[in-house]
């Protein structure tokens, strides 16, 4: 066998291996989804969504967890959206390229890499104890807001960076102040990218379990929360709770709840992708 | 610190009585980017309702100087300036000047057409909108007038809601000029406004400058020597941060006093 | 500047300063409770004792079992994610048709978007039984299953970020290699991967950092038995799983048990902080090189 032939065989073998690896990833995804749907789909009905938790798997529902997740979603958005986008604007448009600015950048990169459970410890000590919020929705959403802040900031900065400076110059030259320029030109032109980042970040927050367990979200909450100071549980914690129980009925419940959680997650990711595409199509400079 | 009246923050030049007709004046202007000196001791005066052309090789400081008149250099981190720039006998770089007010008086047109990703109407109305002017009929009249002034009205009057990005390059640049006119500046700065355009669009914009001269003072940076010769009353030649020669355009092009000017104009370098 | 605009800028500045406050907050909180912890437990015991039993009557406070548990699951995860992820990256960049790459990359990224509690359930109810059918002695809770599933979860970190790095390599390099008669395989591993090495290393470090901090998969599938050693077939406990275990119970503030989770937390934080800093440093240097 000549050298060239040998090389060609190696090349072809690697290509085959590449196909296998790629489909391995996709196949696992398919198996995971198939398994969960097979086990849980028949369990999903209106009662399952609207029932309160119960010790008997057939009667147990996810109502309190769904309501908790919705509360967390809304409150985290209200806190993290303005703070994250505001911080992104400040860092991208108002800071000069100084040592301090690069320190801020390193800091945010590091925060993005801090494990979520560490944010849980922060929330436990600061919000739950020192602020005295207890294991409330407010403490939980404040904790999650800090967790996703770096994601929103980075996405906002990327989106703002993509707006050509010629547009900003034109606005400034017409006598617009810096903020008028940002509000009227830079933000509208980058809103697609900003929203994409925010939605992806919120979707991450919805799937988080560990930090909320640490701040004291409960596995068993008899009633749906009705104010930000109420105790709560969320879908991932409800799933965790059911997964940890030995009876098969709860595993079925966990699968069914996972279907609902996955639908929410995929829907949010879908919306994010939609925003990104729409935005890319609309603006060609 | 708050400024309500336009230009009220620009103090009267304390020394010397205002000279008639002079609208832009620079006295001993030095500009630095960090340690690099981009402009060296520039002194110049420009008259009302004239067209002044800045010429010179790339990196000679002409664009930098142009941007001193509306302080578009403010956002460059290492920028610093010494000396005085006066517009209407008011100090441009006085610390209490509201730059936003200054830029309403000194408009600017850029090298590449840079319309906002908005409708044609919104582009022209933008300057009024940010001033907080909401009177619909007033805004509409001003928009139409501005578009007529740049001879774009007939081409776009039926599609004012259309995105400005759909216009051709030449149309976009005229739109950008209209957008500047709508704010009613006294001075219009043009930074190589035709360098990205085809010859026909260029001719249209040059034609437009003759009209605009009646109402506005124009300062234009150009790489195109013929253009400078055709449109300007006065020409300033910059080289490596120095203002080498400044005078009537005819004189500069036919009988330059400095050898460097001569060499540049005849194309021996640049 | 107008007064109203000054207020807006002040608000924006406040928003930005929250990131600084968060970092300071994390460090202060961890340090404060850890210092209290070391008032009762000797530092030497913490780093040398091979048993971690703070919740038992016979208390031991050696962090090593949690550290080995964390390292073991991370190691297994990387052994899955690195070869698979890197192969996918090279395949998508050098072999696959463009349209295929455009569809498959976001599909694989879905793997990283799935909530980790779902993976935990998957590891416990699908992967562990499957592995037991091959190796019957495998315990119901084990590091192997959790590590493998964690590896699957971080595949897109390696594959997408490495592919981005390969994509950023100037086309001329690739063409030069092909021009000399190299195969795609040779070009990939002799030219492209070395040229993109810093980006690839960053992606691997980020994946490791993610695996070390991952909580729910190990909390559900790896067990709750701190064990010093590297046996992947038996139940273990990671740092993160321990914090969850304590948080699920009702541990009152101010007790030694409460402080153990902060001592464990600061250990975890130190690991990820070092990894993140290294990756940031590499990234910065790399950018300077190409600009």
């Amino acid at each position: 066998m000549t050298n060239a032939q040998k090389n060609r065989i190696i090349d072809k073998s690697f290509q085959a291996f590449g196909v296998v690896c790629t489909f391995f990833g996709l196949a696992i995804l398919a198996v995971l989804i198939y398994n969960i749907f097979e086990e849980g789909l028949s369990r999903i009905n209106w009662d399952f969504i609207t029932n309160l938790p119960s010790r008997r798997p057939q009667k147990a529902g996810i109502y309190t967890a769904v309501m908790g997740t919705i509360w967390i979603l809304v409150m985290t958005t209200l806190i993290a959206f303005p703070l994250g986008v505001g911080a992104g604007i400040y860092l991208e448009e108002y800071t000069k390229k100084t040592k301090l600015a690069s320190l801020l950048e390193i800091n945010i990169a590091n925060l993005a890499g801090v494990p979520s459970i560490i944010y849980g410890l922060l929330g436990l000590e600061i919000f739950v104890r020192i602020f005295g919020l207890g294991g409330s929705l407010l403490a939980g959403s404040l904790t999650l807001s800090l967790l996703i802040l770096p994601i929103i900031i980075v996405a906002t900065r990327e989106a703002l960076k993509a707006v050509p400076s010629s547009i900003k110059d034109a606005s400034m030259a017409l006598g617009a102040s810096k903020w008028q320029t940002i509000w009227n030109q830079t933000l509208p032109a980058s809103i697609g990218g900003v929203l994409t980042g925010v939605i992806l970040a919120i979707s991450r927050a919805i799937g988080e379990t560990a930090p909320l367990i640490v701040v004291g979200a409960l596995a068993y909450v008899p009633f749906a929360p009705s104010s930000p100071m109420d105790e709560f549980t969320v879908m991932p914690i409800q799933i965790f709770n059911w997964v940890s129980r030995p009876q098969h009925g709860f595993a079925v419940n966990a699968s069914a709840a996972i279907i609902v959680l996955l639908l929410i997650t995929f829907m949010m990711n879908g919306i994010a992708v939609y925003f990104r595409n729409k935005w890319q199509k609309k603006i060609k400079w | 610190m708050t400024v309500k009246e336009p230009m009220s923050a620009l103090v009267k030049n304390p020394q010397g009585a205002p000279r008639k007709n002079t609208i832009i004046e620079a006295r001993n202007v030095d500009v630095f980017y960090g340690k690099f000196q981009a402009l060296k001791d520039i002194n110049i005066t420009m008259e009302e309702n004239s067209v002044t052309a800045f010429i010179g090789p790339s990196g000679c400081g002409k664009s930098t100087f142009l941007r001193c008149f509306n302080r578009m250099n403010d956002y460059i981190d290492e920028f610093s300036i010494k000396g005085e720039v006066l517009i209407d006998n008011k100090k441009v770089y006085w610390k209490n000047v509201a730059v936003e007010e200054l830029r309403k008086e000194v408009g600017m047109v850029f090298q590449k057409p840079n319309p906002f990703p908005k409708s044609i109407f919104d582009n022209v109305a933008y300057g009024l909108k940010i001033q907080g002017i909401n009177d619909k009929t007033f805004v509409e009249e001003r928009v139409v007038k501005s578009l007529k002034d740049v001879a774009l009205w007939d081409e776009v009057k039926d599609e004012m809601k259309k995105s400005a990005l759909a216009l051709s390059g030449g149309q976009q640049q005229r739109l950008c000029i209209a957008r500047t006119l709508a704010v009613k500046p006294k001075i219009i700065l043009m930074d190589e406004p035709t360098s990205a355009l085809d010859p026909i669009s260029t001719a249209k914009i040059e034609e437009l400058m003759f009209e605009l001269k009646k109402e506005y003072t124009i300062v234009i940076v150009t790489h195109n020597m013929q253009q400078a010769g055709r449109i300007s009353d006065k020409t300033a030649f910059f080289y490596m941060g120095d203002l080498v020669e400044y005078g009537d355009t005819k004189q500069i092009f036919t009988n330059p006093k400095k050898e460097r000017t001569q060499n540049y104009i005849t194309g021996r370098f640049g | 500047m107008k007064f109203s605009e000054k207020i807006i800028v002040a608000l924006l500045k406040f928003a930005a300063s929250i990131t600084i406050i968060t970092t300071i907050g994390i460090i202060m909180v961890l340090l404060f409770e850890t210092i209290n912890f070391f008032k009762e437990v000797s530092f030497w015991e913490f780093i040398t004792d091979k048993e971690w039993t703070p919740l038992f009557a016979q208390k031991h406070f050696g962090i090593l079992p949690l550290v080995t548990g964390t390292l073991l699951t991370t190691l297994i995860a990387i052994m899955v994610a690195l070869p698979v992820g890197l192969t996918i990256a090279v395949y998508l960049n050098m072999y696959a048709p463009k349209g295929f790459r455009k569809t498959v990359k976001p599909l694989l990224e879905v793997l990283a978007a799935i909530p980790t509690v779902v993976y935990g359930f998957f590891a416990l109810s699908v992967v562990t039984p499957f592995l037991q059918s091959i190796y019957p002695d495998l315990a119901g809770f084990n590091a192997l299953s959790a590590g493998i599933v964690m590896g699957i979860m971080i595949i897109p970190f390696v594959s997408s970020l490495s592919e981005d790095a390969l994509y950023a390599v100037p086309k001329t390099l690739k063409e030069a290699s092909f021009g000399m008669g190299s195969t795609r395989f040779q070009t990939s591993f002799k030219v492209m991967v070395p040229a993109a090495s810093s980006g690839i290393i960053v992606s691997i470090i980020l994946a490791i950092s993610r695996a070390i901090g991952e909580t729910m998969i190990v909390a559900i599938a790896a067990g709750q038995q701190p064990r010093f050693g590297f046996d992947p077939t038996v139940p273990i406990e990671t740092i993160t799983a321990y914090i969850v275990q304590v948080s699920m119970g009702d541990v009152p503030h101010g007790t030694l048990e409460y402080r153990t989770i902060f001592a464990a937390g600061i250990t975890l934080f130190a690991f990820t902080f070092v990894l993140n800093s290294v990756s940031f440093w590499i990234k910065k240097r790399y950018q300077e090189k190409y600009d």
Side-chain angles (χ1 to χ4, degrees):
Chain A
M1 194 160 55
T2 66
N3 216 10
Q5 277 171 324
K6 213 168 83 192
N7 283 337
R8 210 172 309 145
I9 289 170
I10 294 175
D11 194 49
K12 287 282 170 203
S13 321
F14 183 77
Q15 181 169 18
F17 184 57
V19 176
V20 170
C21 282
T22 308
F23 281 98
F24 170 74
L26 296 178
I28 294 280
L29 187 62
V31 169
L32 187 152
I33 291 173
Y34 173 79
N35 256 292
I36 284 161
F37 271 76
E38 198 210 1
E39 185 151 61
L41 196 57
S42 59
R43 181 70 183 84
I44 294 184
N45 52 37
W46 192 242
D47 284 346
F48 182 68
I49 308 285
T50 56
N51 273 4
L52 295 171
S54 162
R55 234 172 291 164
R56 272 180 298 170
Q58 293 78 11
K59 282 188 73 182
I62 54 172
Y63 183 67
T64 54
V66 169
M67 292 315 284
T69 290
I70 292 173
W71 271 94
I72 285 284
L73 181 138
V74 172
M75 288 175 63
T76 306
T77 309
L78 288 178
I79 299 165
F81 180 60
L83 281 182
V85 174
I89 292 172
Y90 184 79
L91 293 173
E92 192 58 36
E93 303 284 341
Y94 283 96
T95 52
K96 294 187 171 173
K97 285 182 180 52
T98 56
K99 279 249 165 75
L100 185 74
S102 71
L103 201 72
L104 277 167
E105 201 178 322
I106 298 173
N107 180 44
I108 290 170
N110 254 315
L111 280 180
V114 171
S116 61
I117 198 157
I118 299 286
Y119 283 93
L121 293 175
L122 176 72
L124 172 64
E125 190 81 349
I126 303 287
F127 301 132
V128 176
R129 284 215 327 100
I130 296 178
F131 287 9
L133 299 176
S136 65
L137 279 165
L138 188 57
S141 33
L142 283 170
T143 305
L144 288 181
S145 295
L146 292 185
L147 170 69
I148 61 173
L149 219 46
I151 309 176
I152 299 180
I153 292 173
V154 170
T156 302
R157 294 188 64 176
E158 290 299 317
L160 293 176
K161 222 177 264 174
V163 178
S165 63
S166 66
I167 297 294
K168 299 178 199 171
D169 285 349
S171 175
M172 298 284 218
L174 286 167
S177 67
K178 195 149 197 172
W179 174 249
Q180 282 177 320
T181 301
I182 292 168
W183 185 251
N184 289 301
Q185 301 297 343
T186 320
L187 261 187
S190 56
I191 196 68
V194 173
L195 286 180
T196 306
V198 171
I199 295 168
L200 288 179
I202 301 286
S203 126
R204 159 100 192 264
I206 294 304
E208 278 295 343
T209 322
L212 291 180
I213 291 176
V214 177
V215 298
L218 300 174
Y220 177 79
V221 180
F223 299 106
S226 60
S227 94
M229 294 310 294
D230 285 351
E231 295 183 323
F232 70 104
T233 189
V234 289
M235 305 263 311
I237 294 182
Q238 180 69 71
I239 292 165
F240 179 50
N241 178 3
W242 279 337
V243 167
S244 335
R245 297 198 191 188
Q247 300 101 307
H248 181 70
F250 283 115
V252 175
N253 282 3
S255 299
I258 286 173
I259 294 174
V260 179
L261 182 63
L262 282 182
L263 282 182
I264 297 173
T265 309
F266 289 162
M267 208 170 66
M268 293 187 75
N269 279 270
I271 294 170
V273 171
Y274 169 77
F275 269 117
R276 186 162 52 198
N277 290 343
K278 194 181 156 202
W279 170 63
Q280 276 173 346
K281 252 177 233 155
K282 204 178 98 193
I283 296 173
K284 280 189 206 128
W285 307 101
Chain B
M1 296 286 268
T2 320
V3 179
K4 300 226 170 59
E5 294 297 313
M7 298 293 278
S8 66
L10 305 182
V11 286
K12 289 278 178 204
N13 169 26
Q15 311 136 354
R19 265 164 288 180
K20 214 186 171 190
N21 281 338
T22 296
I23 187 160
I24 303 176
E25 185 175 357
R27 289 182 193 158
N28 311 104
V29 169
D30 292 308
V31 167
F32 298 86
Y33 293 122
K35 284 188 182 141
F36 173 73
Q37 186 163 10
L39 287 172
K40 297 164 193 161
D41 195 26
I42 308 292
N43 287 282
I44 198 169
T45 59
M46 281 166 249
E47 287 162 9
E48 238 173 340
N49 300 344
S50 68
V51 176
T52 307
F54 289 178
I55 60 170
S58 301
C60 67
K62 54 193 190 308
S63 279
T64 297
F65 191 43
L66 189 76
R67 283 158 189 259
C68 289
F69 302 149
N70 66 344
R71 291 185 53 171
M72 283 299 279
N73 291 327
D74 284 15
Y75 311 106
I76 298 166
D77 284 346
E78 304 228 283
F79 173 84
S80 64
I81 184 168
K82 281 186 203 155
E84 288 298 348
V85 179
L86 302 168
I87 286 181
D88 257 356
N89 270 312
K90 287 165 249 171
K91 289 183 186 176
V92 167
Y93 277 92
W94 187 51
K95 66 176 172 17
N96 286 358
V97 165
V99 282
E100 290 85 19
E101 304 295 332
L102 167 70
R103 290 180 191 147
K104 284 169 200 162
E105 304 285 318
V106 187
M108 188 166 202
V109 176
F110 295 83
Q111 188 168 354
K112 266 175 67 185
N114 53 357
F116 302 127
K118 298 177 175 227
S119 73
I120 293 168
F121 183 89
D122 287 345
N123 260 277
V124 184
Y126 180 73
L128 301 172
K129 185 187 155 197
I130 55 169
Q131 290 180 36
I133 298 170
N134 290 321
D135 182 341
K136 255 193 178 172
T137 43
F138 176 82
V139 172
E140 264 169 41
E141 275 170 26
R142 186 71 76 77
V143 168
V144 172
K145 168 91 171 45
S146 307
L147 286 169
K148 279 180 178 163
D149 284 350
V150 298
L152 193 60
W153 174 247
D154 289 334
E155 294 163 50
V156 301
K157 63 183 171 195
D158 299 323
E159 38 188 23
M160 297 291 282
K161 289 255 153 66
K162 216 167 116 180
S163 167
L165 298 174
L167 297 173
S168 74
Q171 287 176 320
Q172 285 186 0
Q173 194 63 308
R174 276 184 284 151
L175 179 75
C176 291
I177 297 174
R179 186 172 67 183
T180 307
L181 298 185
V183 193
K184 295 248 169 182
K186 286 187 180 145
I187 300 166
I188 301 174
L189 309 175
M190 296 188 169
D191 192 354
E192 300 185 44
T194 61
S195 65
L197 303 180
D198 62 275
I200 294 172
S201 306
T202 302
K204 275 188 186 162
I205 288 187
E206 287 183 9
E207 206 175 299
L208 181 59
M209 276 187 244
F210 280 111
E211 289 300 313
L212 295 178
K213 203 169 103 168
K214 292 172 194 159
E215 281 181 70
Y216 306 91
T217 307
I218 297 174
V219 187
I220 177 171
V221 166
T222 180
H223 264 117
N224 180 334
M225 227 83 65
Q226 284 80 14
Q227 183 170 59
R230 279 194 300 266
I231 59 171
S232 67
D233 303 309
K234 290 203 161 187
T235 296
F237 171 60
F238 290 83
Y239 182 71
M240 306 243 321
D242 286 311
L243 173 55
V244 177
E245 191 167 355
Y246 174 53
D248 286 337
T249 298
K250 226 181 235 165
Q251 175 253 314
I252 295 270
F253 277 86
T254 55
N255 187 21
K257 290 182 182 128
K258 301 273 170 68
E259 202 188 330
R260 263 206 220 126
T261 318
Q262 170 89 34
N263 289 346
Y264 182 69
I265 287 167
T266 53
R268 250 172 257 169
F269 76 97
Chain C
M1 214 188 290
K2 280 188 199 156
F3 184 63
S4 59
E5 191 153 337
K6 277 194 175 160
I7 292 179
I8 291 171
V9 175
L11 287 174
L12 296 178
K13 198 171 186 173
F14 165 74
S17 65
I18 287 194
T19 58
I20 300 283
I21 298 171
T22 305
T23 304
I24 295 173
I26 288 175
I27 293 170
M28 295 283 282
V29 163
L30 292 178
L31 274 181
F32 179 73
E33 293 290 352
T34 305
I35 288 169
N36 281 334
F37 172 78
F38 282 124
K39 280 179 187 159
E40 294 177 58
V41 176
S42 86
F43 182 70
W44 186 246
E45 178 186 352
F46 186 67
I47 59 165
T48 56
D49 196 324
K50 289 176 186 142
E51 274 186 77
W52 176 261
T53 54
L55 306 176
F56 294 173
Q58 184 68 36
K59 290 186 196 314
H60 283 274
F61 296 97
I63 194 75
L64 284 177
L66 297 184
V67 172
T68 58
T70 303
L71 293 181
L72 177 59
T73 47
T74 302
L75 194 70
I76 296 168
I78 288 303
M79 277 162 53
V80 173
L82 181 58
V84 175
L86 195 54
T87 305
I88 292 175
V90 172
Y91 173 74
L92 291 182
N93 187 265
M94 294 291 290
Y95 290 83
K98 256 196 192 132
F100 185 76
R101 176 176 153 270
K102 260 184 97 176
T103 1
V104 166
K105 222 174 145 185
L107 265 180
L108 283 171
E109 279 164 16
V110 171
L111 284 172
I114 291 174
T116 53
V117 71
V118 177
Y119 279 114
F121 180 64
F122 181 67
L124 187 67
S125 66
V126 178
V127 177
T128 298
F130 172 73
L131 292 174
Q132 279 171 330
S133 71
I134 301 168
Y135 180 73
D137 285 347
L138 190 69
F141 296 102
N142 60 79
L144 185 62
S145 171
I148 290 173
V149 172
M150 208 149 81
I152 292 165
M153 179 194 81
I154 59 176
I155 283 175
F157 281 80
V158 180
S159 69
S160 278
L161 293 175
S162 295
E163 208 278 329
D164 290 345
L166 289 170
Y167 193 77
V169 175
K171 291 237 164 5
T172 48
L173 275 184
K174 199 197 292 188
E175 283 160 5
S177 174
F178 283 142
M180 291 189 296
S182 308
T183 62
R184 287 173 295 185
F185 181 77
Q186 288 166 323
T187 306
S188 301
F189 287 95
K190 296 221 164 88
V191 177
M192 299 297 283
V193 170
S197 58
S198 45
I200 292 172
I201 291 169
V202 165
S203 80
I204 295 166
I205 295 174
L206 285 181
I208 294 174
S209 166
R210 187 66 197 256
I212 287 181
E214 171 44 40
T215 307
M216 294 320 290
I217 299 175
V218 284
I220 292 172
Q224 295 185 336
Q225 294 176 32
R227 192 188 299 264
F228 180 76
F230 289 92
D231 182 350
T233 63
V234 292
I236 51 111
E237 186 161 47
T238 65
I239 298 174
T240 52
Y242 172 73
I243 298 173
V244 165
Q245 185 194 356
V246 172
S247 302
M248 291 299 288
D250 207 12
V251 175
H253 163 72
T255 60
L256 187 57
E257 287 81 1
Y258 180 84
R259 286 170 189 152
T260 57
I261 60 175
F262 288 88
I266 206 168
T267 313
L268 175 67
F269 181 75
F271 277 120
T272 55
F273 180 80
V274 169
L275 287 170
N276 293 334
S277 300
V278 169
S279 81
F280 190 82
W281 180 75
I282 296 175
K283 208 153 75 181
K284 273 285 137 179
R285 271 191 62 139
Y286 166 75
Q287 276 173 350
E288 275 163 11
K289 206 173 75 189
Y290 270 87
D291 278 351

